[in-house]
Amino acid sequence: MAWFKRSKIGINTATENKKEAPDGLWKKCPSCKKPLLNSEQIENQYVCQYCNYHLRIGSAEYFSILFDNNSFKELFPNLTSGDPLNFEDTKKYTDRLEESYLKTGLKDAIRCGYGKIQGEDIVIACMDFAFIGGSMGSVVGEKIARSIDYCLEHKLPFLLISKSGGARMMEAAFSLMQMAKTSAKLALLSKAKIPYISYLTDPTTGGVTASYAMLGDINISEPGALIGFAGPRVIKETIKKDLPKGFQTAEFVLEHGFLDFIEDRRNMKNKIASFIRIVK
Amino acid sequence: METTFDFEKPIEDLLVQLEKVKQVAEKTKVDMSATVRELEAELEKTRNKVYTNLTGWQNVQMSRHPDRPQTLDYISLICEDFIELHGDRTVKDDKAIIGGFATIGGVSVMVIGHQKGKNTKERQFRNFGMANPEGYRKALRLMKLAEKFNKPVVTFIDTMGAYPGIEAEERGQGEAIARNLLEMSVLEVPIICVIIGEGASGGALGIGIGDKVYMLEHTWYSVISPESCSSILWRSWDYKEKAAECLKLTSENMFANGLIDGIIREPLGGAHQNPEETANTIKNQLLEDIAALRLKTTESLIAERIDKFCKMGVVVEG
């Protein structure tokens, strides 16, 4: 005998009576699975109001959170990738780029802007994970290098928000050399005694961790962000053991001494502005 | 037993044939010298053909030849003396990266390099040339020592990559490599880097920022190994040959793309065929460069080094 009795057989809501929610009004929190309204997300700076999960966001959102009144001048906006190696795996690199332009409306995996943060002048470069996994190719390296030149020329502090799976394989050794290029430029910035803040967000791995992301005067992060050099899967395959809980989280990296602090995204602007005021 | 690769089969076949002919001649006392000469000429031609047209993957195989000379071989062949120095002064001594003061042709230098090891026991001891953070920090400590005493730095690169392990992450593998990139780009003494085997990604670059960066002819240098590239982009390990082609990781490709300063030629058939000759070619190149780099002021040395790396990359101005 059934526990519950179906009073009507079949679903009999007429098509015209079905209530459809329009797309894009809300998003499910990846952590606690509760629905987050778009308006709530903006208000909460894309942090889940139920579980404090920090949603992955792009340069547009970070700029709106950090720059005063979301006002900034975008620097070097028109640089795009070449295809020096005529790279083709399952797809041509040029096709992959075209797709990413269409899908994201971005030109590459980083955007740079000059503006103010609580009245303090600053240059912010922010990576976009949506563009080929935030991978670092020539454009990312070049934009960072030029941003640093801009900071050197105008004596401006530099904030770099990393969010990347690492090097862009489709640019092979060209991509590798961006690590050298950005690190060399940061050495010059450091010699000029200009503050450099590295803001590592979920996820920051590979060649990005092994270059500019770890070279900040201060390295800072958000709760729960994945930060590491080798990806967890690679490590697991190499050592043939399960990884400890919390391995490669921002908290783990802080504990081992490679981050200065972890801050809730909603308070990050305050903290960054204070730091700049103190050291300038 | 000597290791031979698939592509060396034609050479192998000819060698076998030659040996047979010689044996027959010995046994039957028939004059076969014409055939022998013919075969030897053919062998020479085949050798040239095989070794001068290696594909990307074949170069990768050559770079991993078990008899290929490693850093310690080159040190003993090139240097008149060598004082090995150990430890990063913080955690431990990494066996995958070795280093110390040495003299090359009467010139004092700091030599640093990956050491992979030659047999199973050695390889385990050296962690297959895959360094932990303390390896990179030892390298940096030694470079700073070289700077203090105004001695040029020579690095030998031969690694499958920086070690991906739990402890490596705990001790900041990323930070260790990043710090080296930054410090090496402003080190006040000449730096010459030679890729003598495998040059995989950040693990190689971590001791690879130089005024002059060379690759031995049959080595590879890229952002990822062809195997890992295959597994990531094709989701299978079967495309390593194709990945090796796509990555343009040979010395010829890298030089053509302006990502290295030169290629150091190897004896026909690879460095392992004649380690002394290879070492000698390296030695001459090092001495020539050290003499030339010594003439530059510290400021221009550093400025040119930074400038060289900053020019790398292909972007389209919109």
Side-chain angles (χ1 to χ4, degrees), chain A residues 41-176:
Chain A
Q41 284 180 45
I42 294 168
E43 199 182 325
N44 274 304
Q45 303 188 351
Y46 308 91
V47 177
C48 172
Q49 67 262 43
Y50 305 106
C51 72
N52 276 342
Y53 179 81
H54 284 52
L55 296 165
R56 281 187 187 175
I57 52 175
S59 58
E61 290 80 13
Y62 274 112
F63 285 169
S64 76
I65 290 168
L66 294 170
F67 280 125
D68 294 346
N69 311 316
N70 194 17
S71 125
F72 62 95
K73 179 180 109 184
E74 186 164 350
L75 302 172
F76 335 109
N78 297 320
L79 287 190
T80 52
S81 295
D83 180 17
L85 303 174
N86 292 314
F87 200 93
E88 182 175 355
D89 49 277
T90 51
K91 236 184 247 174
K92 276 187 180 165
Y93 179 37
T94 44
D95 292 346
R96 217 180 265 274
L97 286 169
E98 284 300 330
E99 267 173 40
S100 300
Y101 297 146
L102 285 175
K103 200 181 91 191
T104 62
L106 298 162
K107 297 252 170 82
D108 212 287
I110 198 166
R111 289 204 304 146
C112 313
Y114 160 57
K116 285 181 193 298
I117 182 164
Q118 293 186 353
E120 303 289 336
D121 286 320
I122 193 166
V123 172
I124 305 180
C126 180
M127 300 191 74
D128 278 293
F129 195 76
F131 196 96
I132 320 186
S135 54
M136 170 188 56
S138 300
V139 173
V140 170
E142 184 65 23
K143 278 185 153 184
I144 291 173
R146 289 192 195 183
S147 296
I148 294 170
D149 284 340
Y150 192 89
C151 291
L152 282 165
E153 192 187 335
H154 299 92
K155 301 261 174 295
L156 298 168
F158 184 44
L159 169 66
L160 204 169
I161 306 172
S162 294
K163 188 183 279 294
S164 169
R168 187 170 297 170
M169 260 173 282
M170 292 71 100
E171 293 188 28
F174 283 100
S175 164
L176 182 66

Side-chain angles (χ1 to χ4, degrees), chain B residues 120-153:
Chain B
T120 310
K121 212 173 162 187
E122 257 182 54
R123 287 194 187 108
Q124 265 178 344
F125 178 70
R126 298 288 178 191
N127 200 26
F128 300 83
M130 294 190 286
N132 276 290
E134 44 277 17
Y136 294 99
R137 294 190 180 119
K138 168 164 82 175
L140 182 59
R141 180 177 80 86
L142 298 187
M143 286 188 252
K144 287 286 186 184
L145 212 51
E147 186 179 51
K148 179 173 176 179
F149 298 112
N150 194 24
K151 304 297 174 205
V153 175

Side-chain angles (χ1 to χ4, degrees), chain A residues 196-263:
Chain A
Y196 165 47
I197 303 167
S198 173
Y199 182 171
L200 298 87
T201 69
D202 186 55
T204 299
T205 58
V208 170
T209 306
S211 58
Y212 51 84
M214 276 292 164
L215 292 174
D217 293 317
I218 56 170
N219 300 330
I220 62 180
S221 186
E222 295 173 349
L226 170 76
I227 300 167
F229 171 66
R233 199 170 51 94
V234 176
I235 298 174
K236 213 171 146 179
E237 276 169 20
T238 308
I239 62 168
K240 314 248 184 310
K241 271 187 226 156
D242 279 334
L243 300 173
K245 201 164 174 279
F247 181 63
Q248 293 186 318
T249 56
E251 292 74 11
F252 169 94
V253 181
L254 179 78
E255 189 55 34
H256 285 94
F258 295 96
L259 286 177
D260 288 278
F261 57 78
I262 296 169
E263 187 61 68

Side-chain angles (χ1 to χ4, degrees), chain A residues 78-90 96 138-140 142 145-146 167-188 190-191 206 209-212 214-216 219 227-231 233-239 241-244 247-248 252 256-258, chain B residues 130 137 161-167 169-183 185-186 188 199-205 208-209 213 221-224 228-235 237 242-243 245-248 254 257-260 302 305-307 309-318:
Chain A
N78 297 320
L79 287 190
T80 52
S81 295
D83 180 17
L85 303 174
N86 292 314
F87 200 93
E88 182 175 355
D89 49 277
T90 51
R96 217 180 265 274
S138 300
V139 173
V140 170
E142 184 65 23
R146 289 192 195 183
R168 187 170 297 170
M169 260 173 282
M170 292 71 100
E171 293 188 28
F174 283 100
S175 164
L176 182 66
M177 296 309 164
Q178 304 313 308
M179 293 168 64
K181 180 190 214 163
T182 51
S183 305
K185 284 286 181 191
L186 285 172
L188 297 179
S190 181
K191 287 210 162 184
T209 306
S211 58
Y212 51 84
M214 276 292 164
L215 292 174
N219 300 330
I227 300 167
F229 171 66
R233 199 170 51 94
V234 176
I235 298 174
K236 213 171 146 179
E237 276 169 20
T238 308
I239 62 168
K241 271 187 226 156
D242 279 334
L243 300 173
F247 181 63
Q248 293 186 318
F252 169 94
H256 285 94
F258 295 96
Chain B
M130 294 190 286
R137 294 190 180 119
Y163 187 65
I166 291 181
E167 291 184 338
E169 294 293 321
E170 287 175 346
R171 296 199 286 267
Q173 188 72 284
E175 195 274 344
I177 292 171
R179 186 68 49 202
N180 281 18
L181 304 184
L182 185 144
E183 294 289 350
S185 56
V186 288
E188 295 184 352
S201 197
L205 194 65
I209 309 292
V213 179
Y221 191 13
S222 196
V223 73
I224 190 167
S228 306
C229 179
S230 162
S231 88
I232 293 173
L233 291 182
W234 283 271
R235 309 221 166 262
W237 292 85
K242 189 158 195 313
E245 290 311 309
C246 290
L247 288 168
K248 306 276 196 301
M254 288 293 284
N257 284 328
L259 299 173
I260 55 166
I302 293 172
R305 187 188 305 150
I306 291 180
D307 210 40
F309 283 100
C310 285
K311 284 202 177 102
M312 294 177 183
V314 175
V315 295
V316 181
E317 307 267 351

Side-chain angles (χ1 to χ4, degrees), chain B residues 283-318:
Chain B
K283 180 177 175 175
N284 291 338
Q285 187 68 56
L286 292 177
L287 289 174
E288 189 189 316
D289 285 325
I290 290 171
L293 292 169
R294 275 293 191 202
L295 300 176
K296 295 181 193 287
T297 63
T298 309
E299 291 73 34
S300 63
L301 186 74
I302 293 172
E304 284 169 31
R305 187 188 305 150
I306 291 180
D307 210 40
K308 181 179 82 176
F309 283 100
C310 285
K311 284 202 177 102
M312 294 177 183
V314 175
V315 295
V316 181
E317 307 267 351

